[in-house]
């Protein structure tokens, strides 16, 4: 048994840097290379692809990357684990085997299946979705690797499972090794979004050398502890800040649920071990939930939109005139008509753009006629008959389908998690026998302020505080963290749920949950429903909430002078 396994990542989403696979294989020592290609929106896109052609449904980019790098991976004896199989892991595995034969490369290819529940959705009380995929764990990947696979293709597994599987295979973990599995879950969560762990989307990016960022590596040990690093000489940085930021990405409370173990994020300890090396220890594991989360995507109808530019004086009157005229002239009113006026304008502006605002109109309906050319033509036909200075940001289109995401849950015993080996033998993976009922983390109110921090100065919160935010269906999380114990004590007392709603008025009427993570000097908020029914349906500015944390950082609060540079 080895004393460390090096697991790299070369993709954080479908569309990430194509050359990352080659860079990671050539950049230094690796045992495994993982790639995450699936997001909630990606599953919808692949579902629409499959509707047109049942032989598709997987991430074709990965196949192209293997054409260029399969020989290199085999020469370096790096095993590859990826969820690029999407809705059709079998199809991708077949394509890879054909590619290996074409290139005359000996590569043993296995695939994991069983996550696709769309045919059983109605029987499982999941409705009639376009896609329905359970989030599987890492023990199917483990089985494939221990049986000799060089490449393991999966469908929908949890992002962290891409690291859990290789670590469990390397160290022989069983389901009762909860602390070790939890450590791999934490490491897998950190590296699964690629360069977000090495300086990408980092609040304090001005403090590190950016450029061509390296992708992350998790050096995992038999006890589940790990070191997050990157190949020497690559851009970016791995420090406690970059790792903390990624730990807070798209999580809820202290418990991070996975099918093989529930990782307690409030137990994790981070230590800067050296340049670009952060040691992660003390992860505590609890039993995984009895149910698996299911990603459900439904086609909800069609959507079209127009954006009109309003310039100069009387912005609100111009917007009201156009809205009134437009709605009166529509041939038939869509089921949903949503207007948003975005005020970029300023008085006495030096440029025309600075003198202009944007009026957006979004239409949704199941009837193509109500959101198609009739909707678009109505706007165009008002061009010479409405407010002065009428112009549009782009010609209107014909409308397009949109979908909505929602989570579902199903008893893990009803999901047939399978691994098919290169020889065609299929093995069913039994679920963890140590499952337990889901424990819901309770909200943690802000503690009473008991320390006088001295004189304060009104300044942006982000002067001293970092953040990371993201989407989870129709909700969003905003994690904020401090770099020192005193700063954290101040932040924890300052940033209550009410204070967050004051600083982010868009959340004022929504349900907001607050969770404390003292070991990370962090507080995490989950804002329910701020993204409507998810990114595919939502037309909110920043529909995936990627900038929500940076908006919070820009808000001015009274910061103790002692904390300021």
């Amino acid at each position: 048994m080895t004393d460390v396994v090096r697991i790299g990542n070369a993709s954080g989403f479908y569309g990430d840097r194509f050359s990352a696979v080659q860079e990671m294989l050539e950049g230094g020592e690796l045992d495994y290379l993982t790639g995450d290609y699936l997001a909630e929106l990606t599953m919808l896109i692949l579902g629409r692809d499959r509707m047109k052609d049942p032989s598709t449904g997987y991430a074709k980019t990965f196949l192209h990357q293997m054409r260029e790098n399969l020989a290199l991976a085999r020469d370096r004896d790096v095993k590859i684990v990826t969820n690029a199989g999407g809705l059709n892991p079998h199809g991708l595995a077949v394509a890879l085997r054909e590619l290996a034969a074409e290139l005359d490369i000996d590569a043993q290819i296995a695939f994991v299946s069983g996550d696709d529940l769309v045919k059983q959705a109605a029987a499982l009380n999941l409705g009639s979705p376009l896609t329905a995929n359970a989030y599987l764990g890492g023990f199917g990947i483990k089985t494939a690797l221990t049986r000799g696979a060089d490449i393991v293709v999966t469908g929908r597994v949890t992002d962290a499972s891409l690291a859990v599987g290789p670590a469990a295979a390397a160290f022989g973990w069983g389901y009762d090794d909860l602390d070790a599995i939890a450590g791999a879950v934490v490491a897998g969560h950190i590296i699964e979004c690629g360069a977000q762990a090495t300086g990408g989307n980092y609040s304090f990016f001005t403090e590190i050398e950016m450029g061509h960022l390296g992708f992350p590596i998790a050096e995992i040990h038999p006890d589940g502890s790990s070191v997050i690093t990157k190949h020497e000489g690559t851009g970016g940085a791995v420090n406690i800040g970059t790792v903390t930021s990624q730990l807070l990405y798209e999580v809820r409370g202290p418990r991070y649920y996975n099918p093989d173990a529930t990782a307690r994020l409030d137990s994790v300890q981070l230590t800067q071990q050296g340049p670009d090396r952060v040691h992660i220890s003390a992860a505590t594991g609890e039993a995984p939930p009895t149910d698996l989360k299911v990603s459900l995507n439904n086609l909800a109808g069609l959507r079209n939109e127009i954006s009109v530019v309003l310039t100069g004086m009387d912005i609100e009157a111009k917007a009201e005139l156009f809205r009134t005229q437009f709605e009166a002239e529509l041939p038939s009113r869509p089921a949903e008509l949503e207007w948003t006026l975005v005020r970029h304008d300023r008085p006495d502006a030096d440029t025309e753009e600075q003198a202009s605002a944007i009026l957006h109109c979004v239409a949704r309906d199941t009837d193509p006629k109500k959101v198609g050319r009739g909707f678009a033509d109505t706007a165009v036909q008002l061009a010479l008959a409405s407010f002065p200075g009428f112009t549009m940001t782009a010609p209107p289109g014909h409308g397009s389908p949109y979908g909505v995401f929602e989570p579902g849950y199903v008893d893990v015993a009803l999901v047939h998690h399978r691994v098919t080996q290169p020889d065609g033998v299929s093995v069913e993976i039994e679920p963890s026998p140590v499952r337990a009922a889901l424990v819901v983390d309770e909200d943690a109110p802000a503690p009473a302020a008991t320390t006088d921090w001295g004189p304060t100065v009104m300044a942006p919160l982000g002067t001293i505080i970092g953040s990371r935010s993201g989407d989870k269906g129709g909700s969003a999380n905003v994690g904020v963290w401090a770099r020192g114990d005193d700063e954290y004590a101040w932040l924890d007392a300052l940033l209550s749920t009410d204070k967050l709603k004051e600083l982010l008025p868009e959340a004022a009427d929504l349900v907001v949950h607050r969770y404390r993570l003292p070991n990370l000097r962090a507080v995490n908020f989950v804002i329910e429903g701020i993204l409507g029914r998810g990114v595919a349906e939502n037309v909110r500015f920043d529909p995936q909430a990627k900038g929500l944390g940076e908006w919070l950082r820009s808000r001015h609060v009274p910061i103790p002078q002692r904390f300021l540079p």
Side-chain angles (χ1 to χ4, degrees):
M1 181 182 294
T2 183
D3 61 352
V4 64
V5 60
R6 289 173 59 86
I7 304 173
N9 170 278
S11 176
F13 67 99
Y14 193 3
D16 209 344
R17 188 194 306 165
F18 185 88
S19 62
V21 171
Q22 181 176 345
E23 292 169 15
M24 290 297 287
L25 290 171
E26 292 181 340
E29 182 184 352
L30 287 178
D31 299 301
Y32 298 91
L33 184 61
T34 65
D36 179 13
Y37 292 78
L38 302 183
E40 292 162 357
L41 178 61
T42 310
M43 300 301 283
L44 175 64
I45 295 170
L46 294 177
R48 290 172 58 184
D49 288 347
R50 187 171 63 177
M51 286 178 64
K52 301 173 185 176
D53 182 355
S55 69
T56 61
Y58 57 79
K60 297 176 183 177
T61 298
F62 176 74
L63 188 62
H64 300 321
Q65 289 171 312
M66 286 301 96
R67 176 171 291 279
E68 296 188 7
N69 295 288
L70 181 56
L72 179 60
R74 298 307 311 125
D75 287 346
R76 302 219 167 189
D77 194 25
V78 177
K79 298 183 184 297
I80 295 175
V81 180
T82 178
N83 61 16
L87 301 178
N88 189 6
H90 179 208
L92 179 55
V94 169
L96 286 168
R97 289 168 186 162
E98 293 173 348
L99 175 64
E102 176 191 337
L103 300 177
D104 194 23
I105 296 172
D106 181 14
Q108 300 301 302
I109 299 162
F111 68 92
V112 176
S113 60
D115 61 295
D116 194 344
L117 305 178
V118 71
K119 293 181 180 179
Q120 306 105 280
L124 295 171
N125 296 317
L126 298 173
S128 302
L130 173 66
T131 68
N133 296 82
Y135 287 80
L136 302 179
F139 274 66
I141 297 169
K142 172 194 172 183
T143 298
L145 293 170
T146 55
R147 288 172 175 254
D150 299 311
I151 300 177
V152 183
V153 173
T154 79
R156 179 73 277 183
V157 297
T158 69
D159 301 335
S161 293
L162 298 175
V164 171
F171 304 126
W173 293 340
Y175 282 119
D176 56 346
D177 292 308
L178 292 176
D179 288 347
I181 295 171
V185 166
V186 170
H189 175 58
I190 292 169
I191 69 170
E192 56 97 358
C193 273
Q196 279 197 167
T198 60
N201 290 335
Y202 181 49
S203 292
F204 300 108
F205 71 96
T206 58
E207 299 178 3
I208 63 178
E209 186 175 342
M210 295 289 286
H212 193 74
L213 301 188
F215 274 61
I217 300 166
E219 299 176 351
I220 302 180
H221 296 271
D223 64 353
S225 63
S226 64
V227 171
I228 306 300
T229 185
K230 61 187 183 70
H231 283 320
E232 187 175 354
T234 57
V238 178
N239 58 41
I240 289 177
T242 65
V243 171
T244 298
S245 294
Q246 183 54 28
L247 269 174
L248 295 173
Y249 184 60
E250 295 183 345
V251 298
R252 292 188 67 92
R255 288 178 172 85
Y256 188 53
Y257 306 105
N258 265 255
D260 304 316
T262 296
R264 292 293 302 252
L265 299 181
D266 54 354
S267 69
V268 173
Q269 301 279 356
L270 305 181
T271 306
Q272 191 76 43
Q273 192 181 70
D276 295 322
R277 294 182 64 82
V278 173
H279 184 248
I280 304 174
S281 61
T284 298
E286 297 178 342
T290 56
D291 289 346
L292 292 181
K293 183 179 177 181
V294 183
S295 170
L296 301 171
N297 282 286
N298 292 275
L299 286 177
L302 294 102
R303 177 177 65 192
N304 206 345
E305 57 188 292
I306 57 171
S307 296
V308 180
V309 181
L310 315 168
T311 304
M313 300 166 58
D314 305 319
I315 293 294
E316 293 188 7
K318 290 172 179 174
E320 182 59 28
L321 172 61
F322 180 78
R323 175 175 177 171
T324 301
Q325 291 178 308
F326 182 81
E327 292 189 6
E329 296 292 334
L330 277 173
S332 56
R333 187 180 179 89
E336 297 179 52
L337 207 58
E338 183 178 318
W339 294 90
T340 306
L341 176 60
V342 182
R343 298 295 301 267
H344 297 300
D345 58 301
R346 64 186 69 176
D348 195 22
D350 292 331
T351 67
E352 183 177 344
E353 187 172 4
Q354 292 175 343
S356 299
I358 305 292
L359 178 64
H360 300 287
C361 180
V362 179
R364 303 184 190 89
D365 205 296
T366 56
D367 185 349
K369 295 179 181 179
K370 294 185 178 181
V371 295
R373 287 307 314 176
F375 173 85
D377 289 345
T378 299
V380 174
Q381 290 167 11
L382 286 169
L384 305 181
S386 190
F387 60 86
F390 180 102
T391 188
M392 302 177 71
T393 58
H398 294 273
S400 59
Y402 74 95
V404 295
F405 165 86
E406 62 179 346
Y409 297 89
V410 63
D411 188 330
V412 64
L414 300 177
V415 177
H416 298 287
H417 184 177
R418 305 191 70 84
V419 176
T420 302
Q421 305 300 326
D423 59 6
V425 175
S426 183
V427 179
E428 183 153 351
I429 306 302
E430 294 298 322
S432 171
V434 295
R435 307 186 302 276
L438 186 72
V439 178
V440 179
D441 293 311
E442 296 183 359
D443 289 12
T450 58
T451 302
D452 181 4
W453 299 107
T456 62
V457 175
M458 291 297 293
L461 178 66
T463 306
I464 62 170
I465 298 300
S467 75
R468 178 65 57 81
S469 59
D471 63 312
K472 294 302 290 182
S475 300
N477 93 292
V478 183
V480 289
W481 54 273
R483 297 198 272 192
D485 292 337
D486 286 350
E487 288 88 343
Y488 174 64
W490 166 80
L491 173 69
D492 193 20
L494 169 80
L495 206 52
S496 64
T497 298
D498 287 342
K499 187 64 175 179
L500 180 89
K501 291 184 175 184
E502 175 191 327
L503 296 174
L504 303 182
E506 291 181 21
D509 298 325
L510 301 175
V511 174
V512 177
H513 302 284
R514 184 184 193 273
Y515 305 104
R516 299 178 70 248
L517 297 167
N519 281 7
L520 302 177
R521 301 192 187 101
V523 181
N524 190 48
F525 295 90
V526 176
I527 306 173
E528 302 285 356
I530 193 170
L531 303 179
R533 292 185 290 174
V535 59
E537 183 265 356
N538 188 26
V539 292
R540 176 189 179 274
F541 181 75
D542 184 24
Q544 291 182 285
K546 303 305 184 188
L548 198 58
E550 288 301 295
W551 177 27
L552 177 62
R553 292 182 69 238
S554 73
R555 298 310 305 270
H556 287 226
V557 298
I559 298 178
Q561 287 184 356
R562 58 186 289 187
F563 297 153
L564 296 173

